[in-house]
Amino acid sequence: MEVAAFSLLIDTLKSVVGDHIEQQQQQSRLIRDAHGHVEQLENDIRFLREFLEESIKRRKKENLIMRDLLRDVRSSIYDAEDAIESFLVSGVRKPKSKLAEIAQLVESISVKAKPLRGRVEQQINSSSHNTQDGESAEYKPPPGNPKYVVGLEAKEQQIKDRLTQYTQHLDAIFVTGMHGVGKTTLVAKIFHDPIIRENFTIPPIWVRVSDPTTKNILLDILKQLDELPQDASQRCAQDLSKLVADCLEGRKFLIVIDDVWEIDNKLMTAFERSDGYSKILITSNNNETARSVGRDNPSIELQPLELEESWNLLQWLVFGEVGCPPELEINGNLIAEQCDGLPKTIEIVADILAKKDSRKYEMNERIKIWEKVCRSMNTYFSNDQGRSNILSSYNNLDSHLRPCFLYMGIFPQRSKFSVSKLIRMWIAEGFVRANGSLSLEETAHDYLKSLINRNLVIVDDQKPDGSAKICSMNYLMYEFCKTEAGKERENFFEEVKKSTSDGAFHPSIDEVEKYRRVCIHTDLSRFISKFISLRSHSSLRLRFRLRSFISHSEEMCPLKKKDISVIRAAFRLLRVLDAKPMGFTNFPGDLYRLVHLRYVTLSLKGAVLPSDISKLRNIQTLVVHTTSPSLKIKADILKMTELRHLKTNASATLPKTDNKCDDGEQLQTLSGISPKSCTEIFLTKALNLKKLGIRGKLALLLDGRDELLMKLRNVEKLKLLNDVTGSNSKGNLFRLPQHSQFPPNMISLTLSATRLGWDQIKILRSLHKLEELKLKDNAFVGDMWEVSGDGDGLPHLQALHIERLDFVQWQASSGHFAKLRKLELSNCKKLMALPLELAGIVSLKKLQLSNGTISAKASSERIRDAKKNNGTTLDLHIS
């Protein structure tokens, strides 16, 4: 967190000094002093940043001195950031008179940084003096043979088969999966299996090191081989690797390396002289490590248990072979469901239940105990036992990934969040740094991919190219993020909740100024009311540090005009305002004074975005929800040089574009633009658009102007939503553009309310790059969608989503959708059946049907069964 803050601080300082220097004709001594202070401060900050990054890499156990030092570093940098951004808010309208203040501000921050640097240097020297060469990590013995393992039988057999078969080269078998999914338990069961142990000439070796560096792993192997030389701790990893290789040569061995995040060549060379009967079995949360070492052999990935399996494990751990009393089964299933299929989580809760529940209690008392545990799951998941394993992986994350990981705790518990939204918020927060030729969005996607590969994030839905589209976190991971991000540790964000016991908010509202990020997902109206009351009547000058205010409350919270100025004063340093539930009659003028805003989501009753929104000079993402069917945007968004993403649920009209304007290349997303605003001049300026959503009377766009779309060479995702009242309206669409008139690099197309005849869908066949098609709200009309002949179908499509279409029959063969991987149908309440021929599509892996007819559900099950008979599986979800 501190590293990201450091980078933002120095960038801001340079910008402030540079902007004001440009306004002066002569280089005064004051300016030179300002330059000097900035350079000195930058040197100090670079030193502190390197120290922090190194401490993150090396941190193993909690060190109170180091924790206090890091807390002081964090507090110091936040103070500096507050001072600079507060200056920008107050001084933005008087730039020429503020030069002296800038110099004084930079000097004061630099003065504060010097003693902090001194303390860091003292700590480094002290650590170096106290650290002995060859100091070893803590080695852990192998776990006992687990008595009961659920749902892993197939994976167990798969691992055993690989352990007992000969391979041409040494087989490094990776077992991967998220924290708590049962990797260690499964491997321990195999490790203790006498039949497996008989396959090797020396007893199997189990390696688990608190600090699993290559050197520490090699030292533990030598120790267990009873070949550890006296000077082993002074030797380098390369020498130790050769020693291990000499000791293992000619032996048939099994070495289990449990819970590692990196494997390098020096370690693997220790085993390369071994034959194909010897095996290395490695458990890791990092899929990237598995891919880099596993050669051509795929890793074995464990998945969470099904609910029935979770309940079976829970009741066995609590009651053994006796079984659970019927009176406790309802709460027991609810508890098991909250464990997200993770055996480790189930063990934690089972241990709690075993201690709290007792047969000496009356059944009514036991039921109350189970009900209380069910309501208080988060308490148990945030304790040391629940977080210890995750903490090791968190400490091992690179400094730029740590805030990105913790930030996902701002979403409501058990919610699924959009990847595109998450990434835009990361960028607005300043977590994503420029990386060569990659855009910030591309870099952020790489960050997310790293977290996914470390099994810290769950991918719930994918794009056609396999990248993440929708993500979530399991209970254990979510509670870790909230605990680690809280005021007692990182002070990164705080969730405000209303207590069920006393009705008060915790943390209390008068403590909000202590936090940099606040999220509140329930009782928003009451919170805002009390917040405004406190601010309005307080005689104290509260010091606010708030940078982000986030609410995903389901209740709307209309704001009075007189209250907005109070909120603005408290939120004056805000960067992220993600508060769709906060309702405004019109776009509030006070928000223009929040000059640091980069990400805004809000709701309006009005139909106008005034030209003054251009005063939000740092805005990157603007999302506007309105009750009006149309939205008039008066600001020239092309001249808002930081604006990258603009989305609205209305048909938005834009002002006439100045042909002389050279801006617009920064725009990447424009969703909700009206057809009449899609002028040739505008689309030529916004040449880097990747996502374009057009909403309104589409006939005005496509009637004689089909060539406009083909000029959008960078558009990958196109949405066409026809807003027309009445079936005989002038704006009705009767045809699609020809395939050559669509954006040439389009991979995703959404059609909504276009009411086209089914014969028009044939045009899409020639879009060879089209991978995803979404048809919504009678995009096509007619009782039958008949796909017949070699010239029909959508052979390049990978994902097809159909929602609220009134067709009754659908006829097609597998060849018409040869590459289809995912099919989703929702609210197609007249469709009698899905084509059974879809079972012949080899690539089809997922089928989701919701709110369909009974016969459509039955046909989906027949498709699943047919694929199973053909030796392939189909992930079928019916609701």
Side-chain angles (χ1 to χ4, degrees), residues 515-533:
Y515 311 120
R516 303 191 75 73
R517 297 173 185 87
V518 167
C519 54
I520 176 166
H521 304 310
T522 57
D523 299 290
L524 178 63
S525 294
R526 188 164 176 265
F527 171 84
I528 292 293
S529 175
K530 286 188 171 292
F531 179 86
I532 290 172
S533 177

Side-chain angles (χ1 to χ4, degrees), residues 337-350:
E337 185 177 7
Q338 292 184 67
C339 292
D340 294 315
L342 301 180
K344 180 65 177 178
T345 308
I346 296 170
E347 288 176 19
I348 294 172
V349 179

Side-chain angles (χ1 to χ4, degrees), residues 424-598:
R424 291 166 191 171
M425 296 178 81
W426 280 354
I427 292 171
E429 294 279 6
F431 302 153
V432 184
R433 309 301 294 167
N435 183 15
S437 60
L438 295 179
S439 69
L440 291 176
E441 285 79 7
E442 290 169 332
T443 302
H445 273 287
D446 286 343
Y447 287 7
L448 180 62
K449 187 176 179 181
S450 294
L451 294 174
I452 292 170
N453 283 330
R454 287 167 170 79
N455 284 288
L456 296 172
V457 189
I458 299 170
V459 178
D460 294 287
D461 196 12
Q462 295 178 316
K463 297 178 182 177
D465 63 1
S467 63
K469 181 178 181 181
I470 303 292
C471 287
S472 64
M473 304 184 84
N474 64 46
Y475 215 152
L476 199 63
M477 214 65 77
Y478 177 79
E479 289 300 329
F480 173 86
C481 284
K482 288 211 306 179
T483 302
E484 193 68 21
K487 59 183 176 181
E488 298 302 323
R489 305 193 68 84
E490 297 282 7
N491 195 19
F492 182 64
F493 75 79
E494 197 71 35
E495 181 178 1
V496 179
K497 285 186 174 181
K498 190 178 75 172
S499 171
T500 55
S501 59
D502 59 9
F505 284 100
H506 297 280
S508 63
I509 294 177
D510 58 358
E511 290 184 321
V512 169
E513 75 272 10
K514 297 179 181 179
Y515 311 120
R516 303 191 75 73
R517 297 173 185 87
V518 167
C519 54
I520 176 166
H521 304 310
T522 57
D523 299 290
L524 178 63
S525 294
R526 188 164 176 265
F527 171 84
I528 292 293
S529 175
K530 286 188 171 292
F531 179 86
I532 290 172
S533 177
L534 176 68
R535 288 286 294 172
S536 301
H537 298 95
S538 176
S539 59
L540 300 175
R541 181 177 176 82
L542 298 179
R543 179 184 177 187
F544 278 82
R545 287 182 155 183
L546 202 62
R547 293 305 196 282
S548 302
F549 185 83
I550 296 157
S551 177
H552 295 96
S553 175
E554 293 182 358
E555 61 165 337
M556 289 301 294
C557 176
L559 291 178
K560 299 176 182 177
K561 189 174 182 180
K562 63 182 180 63
D563 296 335
I564 296 173
S565 60
V566 177
I567 293 176
R568 190 270 307 161
F571 289 5
R572 62 197 185 103
L573 302 183
L574 210 64
R575 292 177 187 159
V576 172
L577 176 60
D578 183 28
K580 180 182 175 183
M582 290 174 61
F584 302 94
T585 303
N586 294 297
F587 196 91
D590 269 325
L591 286 189
Y592 305 140
R593 299 173 67 181
L594 302 181
V595 295
H596 296 296
L597 275 177
R598 301 177 182 179

Side-chain angles (χ1 to χ4, degrees), residues 636-658:
D636 190 344
I637 61 173
L638 295 180
K639 292 182 179 179
M640 298 173 67
T641 55
E642 296 298 320
L643 185 63
R644 307 161 76 87
H645 309 282
L646 174 62
K647 297 182 67 176
T648 176
N649 63 332
S651 179
T653 56
L654 304 174
K656 187 176 181 181
T657 303
D658 184 356

Side-chain angles (χ1 to χ4, degrees), residues 10-213:
I10 203 64
D11 289 347
T12 304
L13 275 173
K14 286 182 173 181
S15 174
V16 170
V17 175
D19 288 348
H20 285 73
I21 284 175
E22 287 179 5
Q23 296 171 14
Q24 305 300 309
Q25 296 296 323
Q26 298 178 352
Q27 297 291 314
S28 67
R29 181 187 62 79
L30 200 58
I31 296 173
R32 289 194 297 273
D33 286 348
H35 258 316
H37 292 316
V38 169
E39 289 174 3
Q40 178 60 50
L41 183 58
E42 186 175 7
N43 289 333
D44 290 338
I45 285 176
R46 186 177 292 111
F47 170 81
L48 292 173
R49 182 172 61 192
E50 290 171 359
F51 161 72
L52 283 166
E53 289 178 337
E54 186 62 27
S55 70
I56 288 170
K57 293 177 183 178
R58 298 176 65 87
R59 188 168 80 180
K60 304 174 185 68
K61 295 184 178 181
E62 294 293 340
N63 181 310
L64 294 179
I65 296 175
M66 182 65 74
R67 187 195 297 181
D68 288 342
L69 180 57
L70 292 176
R71 191 185 299 273
D72 288 346
V73 169
R74 183 185 302 118
S75 179
S76 178
I77 199 66
Y78 285 167
D79 286 344
E81 194 177 54
D82 292 345
I84 292 169
E85 295 193 359
S86 295
F87 163 80
L88 289 175
V89 170
S90 61
V92 69
R93 295 181 181 177
K94 306 174 185 177
K96 294 184 179 180
S97 65
K98 292 294 180 179
L99 189 58
E101 292 182 34
I102 294 173
Q104 293 169 2
L105 181 64
V106 176
E107 181 182 14
S108 66
I109 296 171
S110 187
V111 167
K112 290 180 181 178
K114 287 179 181 178
L116 190 58
R117 175 169 179 165
R119 287 176 59 197
V120 168
E121 289 173 337
Q122 183 179 0
Q123 176 66 25
I124 292 173
N125 293 334
S126 174
S127 299
S128 300
H129 179 73
N130 293 329
T131 301
Q132 301 294 322
D133 286 340
E135 181 181 356
S136 62
E138 178 186 355
Y139 298 98
K140 302 179 182 180
N145 190 2
K147 295 180 180 179
Y148 191 72
V149 177
V150 176
L152 300 175
E153 294 81 6
K155 298 295 184 182
E156 179 183 354
Q157 190 58 50
Q158 189 179 354
I159 295 171
K160 287 181 176 180
D161 289 344
R162 286 180 63 175
L163 288 175
T164 54
Q165 70 182 13
Y166 175 82
T167 52
Q168 190 173 0
H169 302 286
L170 175 80
D171 190 6
I173 306 168
F174 268 86
V175 181
T176 64
M178 67 180 63
H179 289 274
V181 80
K183 301 183 294 296
T184 299
T185 301
L186 175 60
V187 171
K189 186 172 187 289
I190 295 169
F191 178 82
H192 290 289
D193 190 319
I195 298 176
I196 292 297
R197 297 174 76 90
E198 288 175 359
N199 280 273
F200 305 99
T201 58
I202 61 174
I205 293 172
W206 183 283
V207 180
R208 178 155 185 168
V209 191
S210 60
D211 181 23
T213 62

